[in-house]
Amino acid sequence: MTNGDAAKAAQLIGYGLQSRLRPAPDSDYRALLDRYQTDERFADLVESVAESMWLHVQRPTPLGLVLAGDPDGPFAVNMDNCGLPLRSGAE
């Protein structure tokens, strides 16, 4: 693996973190996602880079790379950052 491969692994993770972004045909995201699914060494690198960022690669899907944040990491989902509308009091 090269430094370029590490950059591509980080780029794939970056795409996966953008929940509304989809791997369109002929896009860099699609090419990297396909490589993740066919190149075991690249997949291992992606998972290592993700782990160093406190992320877990769940699986690749047609809609993109599914990532989950470690509960103690910077990408953890909690009530403050979940994006759900929260009520301030009982009605």
Side-chain angles (χ1 to χ4, degrees), residues 36 46 53 58 68 87:
Y36 176 86
V46 170
M53 298 171 65
Q58 299 300 306
R87 290 188 259 191

Side-chain angles (χ1 to χ4, degrees), residues 2-90:
T2 67
N3 286 341
D5 291 326
K8 292 295 185 183
Q11 184 179 10
L12 177 57
I13 292 166
Y15 289 143
L17 287 170
Q18 298 176 63
S19 61
R20 294 183 182 180
L21 185 62
R22 297 292 176 249
D26 298 322
S27 67
D28 287 338
Y29 190 4
R30 168 56 51 206
L32 291 171
L33 195 59
D34 290 346
R35 183 175 177 196
Y36 176 86
Q37 294 177 69
T38 59
D39 183 342
E40 187 175 332
R41 289 182 57 190
F42 182 69
D44 289 344
L45 179 60
V46 170
E47 291 167 13
S48 292
V49 171
E51 186 176 299
S52 73
M53 298 171 65
W54 296 45
L55 290 166
H56 304 282
V57 177
Q58 299 300 306
R59 64 186 172 138
T61 73
L63 297 177
L65 189 66
V66 178
L67 301 164
D70 188 281
D72 296 323
F75 297 102
V77 176
N78 55 46
M79 294 305 288
D80 293 330
N81 67 12
C82 69
L84 297 173
L86 302 175
R87 290 188 259 191
S88 60

